[in-house]
Every structure is written in structure tokens, then in C-alpha cells.
Amino acid sequence: MRALLFAILLAMSTSAMAQDNPVIVIDTTLGAIKIELRPDLTPITVENFLRYIENDYFDGLVFHRIIRGFMIQGGGFTPDMVQKSTYDAIKNEANLGISNERGTIAMARTNVVDSATSQFFINLVNNGRLDFQNESPQGWGYTAFGKVIEGMDIVDVIAAVPTGASRGYQDVPLEPVLINSVSLEE
């Protein structure tokens, strides 16, 4: 009896540990995307992203860059392609072990290694070339910090919208794909 009770408690404990990762919901005009974040591997990145969520930063922004067969990107522009101001850039954690596989969410950045702020992208395919390779500026890669657990079909619908040029930017959806809200699932 004691062994059975121990086994049940162990199973419950293991199950609870698996649920410790925060789950967010990106509600868009085309449907909802549910993503499990990985603070155990990328604590700085997840803390940064949750800070933006807590302050409703993403609400009303758009997926502003869509490249079929590559990724969809959002988190920085209004529907009229005005870039929103951000908090300070964070340290790149691409060397901490999450691969840029199909369905992972990663931080967008400039050519500067530690320049990620609010913009993120969801990988449409396995993009191993975006993973950490080495500590050179060209080899750092892009920090993937979570994975879509529901709504990959919505990601694919977003990826299929027609794109073009807008206000000097390429690969912009011709009809805005609005991020209604990003929230932490309770």
C-alpha cells in the first residue's frame, strides 16, 4: 500500500513538474495559437516576453512579416506599419539548447547578437541554420524559447496570406493579421 501511494505521489509530482512551464495564448484575427514557453532553458528570454505580455504590449499589433516556407514574425508593428517602442534589448540565449524547429517561437533580432526586444517569430519549417553554431557574431543564432502546442493550423493559415510591400517593408500581409491579445493561460 505504501509503495502504491509513493508511486501515485511520484507520478503526480512528475506531472506537476511537466506543467510548470507557462503557456501563453496568442489570439489573432485568424484564430488562437497556444505556446508552451521554456523558462527552464531560456530564463532571460521568457522573463522578457512575459513582461511584454503583463503590460499588454502585443495587443493590437500585427504579424508584419511572413515568408512562406520560413517563418511568420510579429510583436513590433501596428497595423499601419509604425514600429512600437520597446524595453531594453536582452542577452541572446540561443546557446541554451532549443532548436529552431517547426512550431517553435524565437526572438527576432538585428545583426547585433544581443539585440532582441519584443519581436518574435514562429518557425514554419525546421530552421536549424538559425540555431547557435558558435560564439562568433555570425554563429550565435536566434533564441527559440517555446513551442506551439495548439494552433499550428492557425500558424499555417497566417503563413498563407498574400503579402507585398508596405511603407518600405517587404513580405507584409496585404490584409493585416491582427494580434488581438497575448495572455498567460491560467
Side-chain angles (χ1 to χ4, degrees):
M1 182 69 153
R2 188 175 282 167
L4 178 60
L5 181 58
F6 178 74
I8 291 170
L9 288 173
L10 180 62
M12 288 173 56
S13 160
T14 304
S15 174
M17 285 180 7
Q19 295 176 1
D20 282 346
N21 290 331
V23 173
I24 62 162
V25 178
I26 302 174
D27 179 48
T28 77
T29 50
L30 295 177
I33 305 162
K34 193 178 284 192
I35 300 172
E36 179 183 17
L37 304 181
R38 295 298 305 271
D40 55 325
L41 298 175
T42 55
I44 294 168
T45 306
V46 171
E47 181 180 353
N48 174 69
F49 202 74
L50 291 175
R51 178 180 178 196
Y52 282 102
I53 291 171
E54 287 171 12
N55 292 298
D56 301 323
Y57 177 89
F58 298 114
D59 300 4
L61 298 182
V62 293
F63 280 95
H64 64 274
R65 185 171 175 231
I66 296 172
I67 302 176
R68 285 188 187 96
F70 181 44
M71 59 86 213
I72 63 173
Q73 183 174 337
F77 287 84
T78 64
D80 53 356
M81 292 303 292
V82 173
Q83 191 166 6
K84 195 170 176 180
S85 61
T86 65
Y87 301 120
D88 292 337
I90 60 170
K91 173 145 181 50
N92 189 320
E93 295 180 299
N95 59 333
L96 297 178
I98 299 177
S99 180
N100 280 278
E101 298 172 347
R102 174 172 163 76
T104 55
I105 185 171
M107 293 305 296
R109 64 176 178 84
T110 66
N111 288 332
V112 176
V113 171
D114 296 328
S115 62
T117 56
S118 66
Q119 292 188 40
F120 62 90
F121 60 92
I122 299 173
N123 287 292
L124 299 174
V125 296
N126 293 337
N127 285 316
R129 64 188 170 89
L130 301 180
D131 291 348
F132 176 82
Q133 307 297 323
N134 58 58
E135 292 188 4
S136 73
Q138 299 78 21
W140 257 101
Y142 295 78
T143 305
F145 62 101
K147 185 157 184 153
V148 173
I149 56 174
E150 285 181 33
M152 197 60 199
D153 56 330
I154 301 303
V155 172
D156 290 334
V157 168
I158 294 169
V161 302
T163 61
S166 177
R167 295 191 175 216
Y169 296 99
Q170 299 299 312
D171 306 308
V172 178
L174 299 178
E175 291 291 324
V177 179
L178 195 66
I179 298 171
N180 297 319
S181 66
V182 181
S183 57
L184 190 59
E185 186 174 74
E186 298 298 324

